[in-house]
């Protein structure tokens, strides 16, 4: 509680910036651009840059990027991933377990790239397999060993969203499914793929919001982070049986 | 591919039983009861029992349990979690990181219990915190340290489904959200809670299907399993930059 | 037009019975039971029986079957397929191409059985493969040759509804997908599986209503019937280019 | 009834303007712009201005504002709140209880500003707390005393819409929740946030339409107005027990 | 913050009971029954009864009531409002402003009664007007003066849910709309009425969940409570202009 | 049947034009523009003009109108109603009963105007009452006698769509409700108003598609036409009691 | 207004009974049973019976009918139409134009019967055509002349709801479409049929709520009533051109 | 399995191109353009062209076509069908059974054209019937013989989507229904038509995604291909009765 009360944030009037989050989670600070003006993005980026080497801004349209880039010395724009990168991306750290990103089709690549940049910013090694939708299952099977080498797999798919079910059945490691808004008609902007993934017959699959490559990457980072810090964690408490039902042993 | 082709399964006519899955993932065999007759559940359970010490059957109604129990010597029924348990549950292994299960309200307990039994069957230590919905945030804050001791947290909530957003903002470890069908009117049998969780402002939250305590537990088990096996994993490959956009460094 | 005007039907007051349809399409007469009283089912069945050797009644609940059976001499009840069978089912005719019925899980069997009885009533040979959901893809791959021997494949799946996409990618013959209402939570009584199938990345997949095993079987019968009658069809007319766009050659 | 029959309105052909409403409720006249031409807005504004010192026009796009402003002498345009202000805004009246407006994120500010301008036009004092989404709960807790000083609190949130549940649990005064269309994917243009708020576990929360800052401000004004006029109200009638159920005491 | 940390609650294992809420808000303790066993309801009720004179339990089915009543000495069951009442209801306090409850049809009465019992438990005087749906607008107009005597009005309506729009246009005081699940076909269990109310053209209307008479009553109580405590509130702070847009004066 | 077979239509390749419909129903020929090119609209209009004095084209955007008008000698464009008028509109025929068109708000006028032009083209006298939404019920009540003078009333409303329920309760003559897409947030492009109208508590209200002023006008024309031709109709047959239930007298 | 104020209604506490409606519209008084207890239905029926010869109660379940019938001397129960009939049904009046009721399938008969009883109670002659769904279009075409003899046609259809489009294209008289909840899977309890009818390509079709045979019958009665009273109506006013757009002639 | 493992594909980094599919199914290679850049389309087209004479690209916007055409020597653009055609279309092969394409309205032609080009590329003869919506059923009946000459019929319809039900009832051959997004209001971009078709009372109708002319054409091609290869298929296996229910004969 004391910790919580003392957490620092910086007041900009239109925003309150957390300064401790990246320290805590090993993640860079990421500005979510939609709904923010170019001026607001620049101001937040400069403030964060005072405390952090690397600042990202996600979901940046080309128009926003064009307005912002001249005011952020040294920043670059990853157009595929719609990401502004303000500071040096670290080299992949090979002592860390890899995360795989699998995409069903070419049109799913922007969402995969959003995830990829987030992971690159954390130095986690990446494995990428693209265009392996289930209608040509042999393309996936041919890349199975590659996927088995990763500690966590992110599966990005639109249309029928069926790929994570197949991947989830083939891998023992955690699989995070990202539905995309790719499709037409009864895809309802990704709703079909989202429902497919939530109803997956592959047990243990977890799902993030439609097009949320960022969220999947943060989830993967948290898992990798858990793996790396496993040694430092205190022994867990035993189960609290207070409300166990009569039927439980 | 050869491995895949040779994976064993047993043919029952109405079902094909995988015999290797639990070996591979450290999970017990779990029979999903809905849509199966008592006779089918008994037959599958007996077949699995020839290869495994512990067999579970989930979503078993009291009526199904009453029909099945006399034919499964030594099985018990966990009514709260709607789970048939056929074989001995192992003791929690304190050398393994714990999983926390947090519930928003009393009515969410059956879903939490489903997850709890799955985790118990894997010997993963459990931490449980109940009835800490966000409308009384002090109850959650008072249990924060307890949650921080776990490696993975499962948050179970119906109605507004807001609890995972708050928990996800307070913890650095992976958080898996389970919406429940608890609520009425515009909750639409859990749809409201599901949408809340998918749109969470807490980055890195992942979500499973409504009432899917089983799926959340399997996801948590996969993460714990990754942590335990981190040492054995080969070094990851470097990122494949073949389709990087011009903006990427 | 003259043909249309003269098509016979029998007036029962509460129903108008087509007497020519089965002659035309090689299908038995099938009474759709929901919304009909036992008395109405019996009356229609007796009228049809005067003109046809075999009469079926679909979606018959056990209660309806119990009320109807004593009044339909020689009829039997297929409980799994919820079908009343009033008359002899023919032997499969091996000179006719087979139809395959593939199911993702045990709980999808009732819908598959509804389709199977319809096909049996037409003497079309059947191939059945059960419990080959995509989360255990090796079970499907092991039955691939069997499926390739059929002229048409019906794929029945609930939950994520992903199986038809995989099957559709593996087979060159027509594939008809049947979503089932099996699932829970965000499956919304089969809506999720339906959307998955409509958005399938396997081109050429066609879809019927949720749980509509009957419709899939009729569609398959029409295709088989087209194959059998291919020789008798007159040469097709050339394309009418009246409104071709300027870009068309 | 006589009162109702004699209520004045002015006929413009395309609109009937109430002239008594603002007198009755202490609210300024507000023109809802969508679906009206610039010419219509100008005409209504001029008519209203003959009877009222202050006239507002809500949901005015920049294009509409540019077309209308030259014809409304002295009017200004609040771009953030999309509001045309035609006449002097009064000074806050410190003898009146304050209304607090809380926003979850920077992108929710336009909706909050719409509410703020309405409240400013009534001289009700305002308290504003911005960017306190529940994923960083410490930012909200740090502003709790400020919120407790207000008589009514408006909470504006998009995405998961979870903030009102937390605020509603912390405050004893009336809380009005405004979902916003901020979000993407499964937010469905604010539907997710709306459902969250309707299902809030914080009892007594009330909700307005998505992005309806105007409606929330009017509701708050009505409550403040009730407080201010509490003395003038006649003693209430006793409860009419005519249809009380047998179980009621 | 210190206050928050020290808020008392009692741990029952399956529930954490707030002991301070009713003291703070003038509301009785209300147990929400769905999802709780009779045994749990009895246990919570007894614990609460140690600290409070009056304990309520809402949404109690007749079956639950029958199981619970023998164990709660002196409790009665209000069948229309599905409410268990454990302790004496106070007499209406005529020095307090009244709340009106208006219902569109006879079938909406159970939801209105739920609200009525909550208000009775707070001694707030009640005014009730029933069966005044808008298709017979004269019935409403004939009761207008009665409604104008109340400080807050709750309007309960199913089917088209149009009544709150008409009432909201006629009254200057706060109006809270409660959609009910009464209707059929395209009412979708109250969704139609809910949408009508959210889109009301009567400004300032606020809405609660479908069938949520309890929530409406709590919201009304908070407003009445604000009116009663208006004198004790400290002077409000002036508006914080930090992020005002350039267009704001 | 012979009549049906011999009905004339003209083949344009991309369209088949009915030439008898307007003769039969007293309606002008109306071209529905969406999905048609300017060239196609011009071609259909010229063909129809050979047989009819008056040809209309509905849902014409200003862009389409600008492209089409130069090629249709003497046609004019009604911008409010998005209607191209190619030929002389007849004078209202005062021997025919009038149709009333009532609109809830200014923004609903385009839909009302579409209906008005259709009715003008049939010489049916019109009564129009605008901006009488239910939140200011006195504006409607003041125009009640005017509405009672019409034989059919069309009510056009967006947002909450509550106006038809009130009008339907006040008038004995047929009332046709037209929901409009006016609104925002939870209006879902007119879905809220549509559902309100379908669930109206005013018995006998009928409804057309969202924004379908054309359809409402055609329905009204059919009723007026029935009234005018009442004398010519043969005496109706008695009721056919063949399937009457046992309970019917 | 004076008329409106003086309209009589009788106060029962739980209901306000209009006594003038049936006089005004030529309709019997109809009690809508859902949500009312047997005791309430009996009480309302007795009150109405004091003023009217014929009283109906719609949507009466067999259970309700069994409880009510012994207390309503001389009442009978039409089970198919779920209607209680309390008083003598008049003979059809052959001087009045007939209404046709067309049903797509046998399962749609209960909804058609509800409409039929309402029409019988008004002495309007009935024409009924059953089981003419569009999949066997010859059955409809064979009954076309019968339909053309009616002044108004009600079309009742579930499943695809396609019948009204075909009927509406064949008849010049008003057509009212009633979707039914008959169907399964993606019929969503009649939503599919409802949407089909709202989107009908047959201009002038109007629609009522799902299963609302009562509403369709009242709408038909209003049209017949307009026809019968056409002579008594005063000459209509000319069109009010106040807001005509520049493009209108 | 060996076959599957050895299936060739070409790796482009952003895509994996199947080289065997067209050989296997007699279909041309078709590039789905949405989500691909002009550069990507050109690159894939050139690669495919090395192996195939004819390459198509579907859903190409005019902008994409303008960017791509200069780089694809000899390609043409079918604007109506939004299809790029890179290589010679074959002449229709009159020894092959024809496919009919039926459209309900002029606005449905783009979807029909997409299907037509696919079929033209396979040399299957085409029969086209346009603008035969069910509201003018005589236009369809006049073309019935033409449709009966085809082996498969594709029916394309928007708005109410009723045409396939009527066509399906008239033809014995397989019918594939394609809903289009043509319509407005409650058509919900084709959802209404899709639901109509899924709920068709014409048994055996199958459905593809909204606007999916491509998918319907591929399905038709597969059926035609089955007919052509009927002779080469091995005799089918007998039915596997392993799980037949007790009721089955």
């Amino acid at each position: 509680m004391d910790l919580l009360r003392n957490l620092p944030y910086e007041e900009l009037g239109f925003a309150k910036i957390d300064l401790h989050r990246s320290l805590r989670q090993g993640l860079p600070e990421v500005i979510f651009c939609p709904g923010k003006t170019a001026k607001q993005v620049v101001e937040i980026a400069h403030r964060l840059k005072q405390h952090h080497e690397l600042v990202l801004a996600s979901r940046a349209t080309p128009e926003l990027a064009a307005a912002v880039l001249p005011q952020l010395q040294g920043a670059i724009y990853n157009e595929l991933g719609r990401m502004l990168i303000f500071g040096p991306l670290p080299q992949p750290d090979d002592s860390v377990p890899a995360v795989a990103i699998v995409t069903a089709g070419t049109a799913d690549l922007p969402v995969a790239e959003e995830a990829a940049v987030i992971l690159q910013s954390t130095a986690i090694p990446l494995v990428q397999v693209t265009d392996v939708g289930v209608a040509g299952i042999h393309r996936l099977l041919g890349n199975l060993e590659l996927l088995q080498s990763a500690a966590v797999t992110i599966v990005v798919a639109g249309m029928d969203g069926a790929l994570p079910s197949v991947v989830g059945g083939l891998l023992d490691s955690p699989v995070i499914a990202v539905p995309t808004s790719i499709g037409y008609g009864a895809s309802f902007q990704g709703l079909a793929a989202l429902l497919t993934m939530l109803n997956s017959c592959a047990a243990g699959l977890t799902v993030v919001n439609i097009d949320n490559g960022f969220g999947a990457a943060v989830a993967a980072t948290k898992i990798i982070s858990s793996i790396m810090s496993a040694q430092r964690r205190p022994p867990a408490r035993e189960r609290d049986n207070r409300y166990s039902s009569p039927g439980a042993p």
Side-chain angles (χ1 to χ4, degrees), chain A residues 174-197:
Chain A
V175 175
I176 299 163
V178 190
T180 74
S181 53
I182 296 304
Y184 62 90
S187 94
F188 299 120
Q189 284 81 52
L191 177 61
L194 171 63
L195 293 181
T196 307
M197 295 172 186

Side-chain angles (χ1 to χ4, degrees), chain A residues 36-124:
Chain A
K36 297 203 179 72
T37 62
K39 201 179 148 203
Q40 290 174 330
V41 171
V42 168
E43 188 169 345
I44 300 175
H46 278 137
R47 289 288 179 104
L48 288 169
K49 193 67 173 149
Q50 292 167 5
H51 302 267
H52 304 278
E53 240 187 318
L54 176 60
V55 172
L56 302 178
S58 69
R59 302 283 170 107
T61 60
E63 293 71 32
L64 187 83
V68 163
L69 277 179
Q71 303 176 61
L72 294 183
Q73 196 91 25
I76 61 170
Y77 180 52
N78 180 320
E79 189 177 1
L80 180 62
R82 293 159 303 168
M83 192 80 74
L84 287 160
I85 301 167
F86 189 22
L89 285 177
Q91 285 302 306
D93 177 349
D94 284 352
S95 69
V96 172
V99 170
I101 302 179
V102 184
T103 48
T106 303
D108 299 317
L109 284 177
V111 174
E113 184 73 6
E114 184 180 277
V117 175
I118 297 294
L119 289 166
Q120 284 179 302
S121 76
T122 62
I124 295 174

